[in-house]
């Protein structure tokens, strides 16, 4: 079991990135920071000055997508002088590219997310396009996580709502895992499942308060996301965090392209539909998503009825080995359409 060694959450903690690296490795001299253009301009100087203060040589690498080609390019760029740490500083793309690159070059990865948008900030799992797998794959667990709630409060509200979508998904992910235990005899880790479930439950219970996006809200959501990521570390698989609702999201990317919504937005829609199939209170899920400003209808993220039906009917085939509610309830065009209609996703 591999867990993050240090986790810092709070206002302004990005200024501690340099000292945290030195506390993990006193002889570290060089770091590679992977980020996006907006984050570099908005908050790069704070990260810079903290790393400089710790006498670390910094190389910045701006990435604009999370693809295997980008990872390979970055790997080639830093091959002549490998850094002691790779830092993912930014949103999902930067964190994913940094995590995958660190894994490939065998260096520790430090996660410094600037938005509370998904649980990959603390898990070993990564989604990059261009691999032979249309779902997330395992890399290394971040050695540390620095979640600056001040930086996160400045991120677009849509990213926060997306993080809530990725959290409610743990309801159906855990239900799928229970189903696989009951029907296929799959190993089920109660502790990991409960931890993931709890991170969803807090969003269901607090969504009315969370929508104000106060420091309190951001802290609650980021703690829940980190806990969910840790649940995946404990389970040693993405099982507690990712079920049929994630397969739906991957299938949407597959049939509609990556431009249709953010990860947590697609996953949130998937959760509404999978909750109905599981006999869970799907209206509560939809109400929660609406409360935090996340989409509950496919058209809000530019998806057509046809996209949704295609994604629902192909989702399970993207990962046949992962037993979910979609393995049990085999949807055809007609039943997929009526499911999406019945929960008002289309
Ligand atoms: Zn997710």
């Amino acid at each position: 079991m591999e867990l993050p060694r240090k986790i810092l959450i709070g206002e302004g903690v990005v200024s501690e990135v340099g000292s945290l690296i030195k506390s993990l490795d006193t002889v570290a001299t060089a770091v590679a920071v992977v980020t996006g253009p907006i984050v570099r301009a908005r908050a790069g100087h704070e990260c810079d000055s903290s790393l400089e203060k710790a006498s670390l040589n910094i190389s910045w690498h701006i990435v604009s997508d999370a693809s295997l080609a980008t990872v390979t390019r970055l790997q080639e760029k830093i091959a002549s002088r490998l850094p002691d740490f790779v830092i993912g500083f930014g949103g999902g793309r930067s964190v994913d590219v940094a995590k995958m690159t660190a894994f490939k070059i065998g260096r520790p990865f430090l996660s410094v997310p600037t938005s509370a948008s998904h649980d990959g900030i603390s898990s070993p799992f990564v989604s990059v396009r261009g691999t032979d797998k249309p779902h997330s794959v395992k890399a290394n667990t971040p050695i540390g996580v620095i979640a600056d709630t001040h930086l996160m409060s400045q991120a677009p509200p849509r990213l926060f709502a997306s993080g809530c979508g990725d959290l409610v998904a743990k309801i159906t992910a855990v239900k799928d895992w229970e189903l696989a235990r009951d029907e296929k005899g799959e190993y089920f880790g109660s502790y990991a499942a409960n931890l993931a479930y709890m991170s969803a439950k807090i969003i269901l219970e607090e969504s009315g308060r969370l929508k104000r996006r106060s420091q309190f809200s951001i802290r609650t959501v980021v703690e829940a996301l980190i806990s969910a990521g840790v649940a995946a570390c404990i389970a040693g698989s993405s099982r507690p965090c990712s079920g049929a609702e994630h397969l739906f999201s991957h299938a949407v990317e597959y049939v509609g392209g990556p431009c249709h919504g953010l990860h947590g937005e697609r996953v949130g829609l998937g959760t509404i539909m999978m909750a109905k199939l599981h006999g869970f209170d799907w209206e509560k899920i939809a109400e929660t998503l609406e409360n935090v400003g996340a989409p509950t209808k496919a058209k809000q993220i530019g998806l057509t009825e046809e996209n949704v039906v295609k994604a629902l009917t192909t989702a399970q085939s993207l990962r046949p080995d992962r037993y979910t509610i979609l393995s049990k309830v085999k949807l055809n065009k007609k039943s997929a359409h009526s499911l999406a209609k019945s929960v008002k996703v289309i």
Side-chain angles (χ1 to χ4, degrees), residues 190-345:
S190 299
Y191 186 84
N194 276 312
L195 189 59
Y197 194 82
M198 214 160 66
S199 62
K201 213 169 135 241
I202 195 152
I203 306 304
L204 292 188
E205 285 166 2
E206 303 265 346
S207 67
R209 272 212 295 167
L210 293 176
K211 64 182 165 194
R212 287 194 290 276
R213 286 206 316 129
S214 60
Q215 285 287 320
F216 164 82
S217 314
I218 288 168
R219 193 175 179 114
T220 304
V221 170
V222 81
E223 281 178 357
L225 288 169
I226 291 173
S227 300
V230 167
C233 295
I234 293 170
S237 90
S238 60
R239 255 301 188 191
C241 297
S242 165
E245 73 300 316
H246 271 71
L247 293 179
F248 169 76
S249 166
H250 298 313
V252 165
E253 286 181 274
Y254 204 62
V255 299
C259 49
H260 288 292
L262 301 169
H263 172 78
E265 293 177 330
R266 293 189 299 266
V267 158
L269 293 181
T271 307
I272 301 173
M273 296 185 281
M274 301 314 147
K276 170 89 191 268
L277 291 181
H278 272 293
F280 187 83
D281 184 359
W282 64 267
E283 282 172 307
K284 177 76 185 158
I285 305 269
E287 183 196 310
T288 301
L289 291 171
E290 215 168 291
N291 271 346
V292 296
T296 56
K297 303 207 177 319
K299 64 176 183 213
Q300 289 173 276
I301 56 168
L303 284 176
T304 62
E305 288 194 11
E306 206 188 338
N307 290 150
V308 173
V309 169
K310 187 97 196 276
L312 280 172
T313 50
T314 52
Q316 190 60 51
S317 68
L318 300 183
R319 196 165 190 177
D321 57 314
R322 173 150 292 182
Y323 192 80
T324 74
I325 192 71
L326 290 178
S327 321
K328 187 179 162 117
V329 183
K330 292 186 171 60
L331 293 172
N332 57 30
K333 270 188 182 176
K334 197 164 167 260
S335 54
H337 187 270
S338 64
L339 168 66
K341 204 91 192 157
S342 71
V343 293
K344 302 178 185 133
V345 163

Side-chain angles (χ1 to χ4, degrees), residues 66-88:
S67 66
L68 201 55
T70 301
V71 172
T72 309
R73 261 200 309 277
L74 182 58
Q75 216 182 323
E76 283 164 3
K77 230 169 118 189
I78 59 179
S80 58
R81 195 187 165 202
L82 291 181
D84 297 300
F85 285 82
V86 181
I87 301 173

